Amino acid sequence: MSVVCKMLNVKRMLVWLSRIHRCRGFGVQSPWAYRMVRYVINEHYPYYAYEDLRAAYPRMDADTRRLCELSLRLANSVRPAWVAVDDACGEEFRAYIKAGCRSVSFLKDIGECRTKNNGERIFAVLSTQEGLSETFYKVADAANNGSVALIMGIHGNKAARMLWREVVSGVKNVVTFDLYYCGLVFFDDKRFKQNYIINF
């Protein structure tokens, strides 16, 4: 095992240990948020499509696979009509999302969120590329109740950290989940604004 792999494993373990008291929904009071943490975010039961998708994408690293599997579970739970996946995320995310909700339609561009929106749910997967903040706000402007955005690498660089702090503290009508490796933003004006830090 290379030095880089060992360092990544040590970092992953330190993150996990720092959030150990936030496993499996401990301390989450909202029934909706508890179900989201327990049965979507940290669901360990192997979903029906995992094996086929693992065979289709055998070279995927462990962290990317975990995020793809989370995308599948989110799509299965949210049942969006439209999905926008940042080009930097790769084809595998689209395959996992399609396996989670076969009825979704993919947008060619995240900017299409607003034009395609007719009251239906949107699921957006955003990478930490240049222009992340602008892209997120395009999604936020188009999002209806029940829509969700998955933002990759919220602690990965300065721009992503700044956007995440802004979303958590300043964006109205959202419930956020900080999974360290990514952030989930659920748009819903019927829920109290809340940020949950989860051990993922």
Side-chain angles (χ1 to χ4, degrees):
M1 186 181 282
S2 72
V3 174
V4 174
C5 288
K6 288 180 183 177
M7 297 276 289
L8 287 173
N9 286 340
V10 168
K11 181 180 179 184
R12 192 178 295 121
M13 185 59 67
L14 290 173
V15 169
W16 190 84
L17 287 172
S18 71
R19 294 174 175 228
I20 197 164
H21 62 291
R22 298 181 185 269
C23 285
R24 312 286 284 170
F26 296 143
V28 175
Q29 300 301 316
S30 162
W32 172 84
Y34 178 82
R35 281 192 303 275
M36 186 57 62
V37 172
R38 187 75 172 82
Y39 301 113
V40 178
I41 294 170
N42 280 329
E43 175 62 77
H44 297 298
Y45 187 80
Y47 270 57
Y48 49 88
Y50 284 178
E51 198 172 310
D52 292 340
L53 289 163
R54 193 175 287 267
Y57 299 96
R59 298 185 193 279
M60 198 185 303
D61 66 84
D63 288 340
T64 304
R65 189 170 306 282
R66 284 177 61 211
L67 291 170
C68 284
E69 289 175 354
L70 172 63
S71 297
L72 183 153
R73 296 191 301 270
L74 281 168
N76 188 267
S77 173
V78 173
R79 295 285 178 193
W82 300 99
V83 175
V85 179
D86 199 321
D87 290 337
C89 294
E91 187 58 39
E92 58 270 19
F93 276 92
R94 289 178 179 83
Y96 273 81
I97 290 167
K98 189 71 172 176
C101 182
R102 296 191 189 284
S103 64
V104 299
S105 297
F106 288 92
L107 302 174
K108 291 178 185 173
D109 182 73
I110 286 180
E112 283 188 275
C113 286
R114 178 172 263 167
T115 59
K116 294 288 187 179
N117 184 353
N118 60 353
E120 298 172 308
R121 293 177 177 174
I122 296 168
F123 177 19
V125 180
L126 311 175
S127 68
T128 53
Q129 297 292 313
E130 190 175 329
L132 172 63
S133 182
E134 182 185 332
T135 304
F136 171 77
Y137 283 107
K138 283 181 184 175
V139 172
D141 285 346
N144 298 307
N145 286 350
S147 294
V148 62
L150 187 155
I151 305 172
M152 303 289 190
I154 57 171
H155 297 285
N157 61 43
K158 185 177 178 182
R161 286 191 297 273
M162 284 176 61
L163 173 64
W164 185 248
R165 280 197 296 269
E166 195 176 301
V167 170
V168 167
S169 63
V171 177
K172 295 179 180 178
N173 303 324
V174 296
V175 177
T176 53
F177 293 85
D178 178 341
L179 311 184
Y180 187 81
Y181 304 99
C182 68
L184 299 177
V185 183
F186 287 87
F187 299 90
D188 196 333
D189 60 14
K190 296 180 180 69
R191 300 193 188 282
F192 291 108
K193 184 173 175 61
Q194 181 79 40
N195 180 52
Y196 298 98
I197 297 173
I198 305 298
N199 195 0
F200 172 63

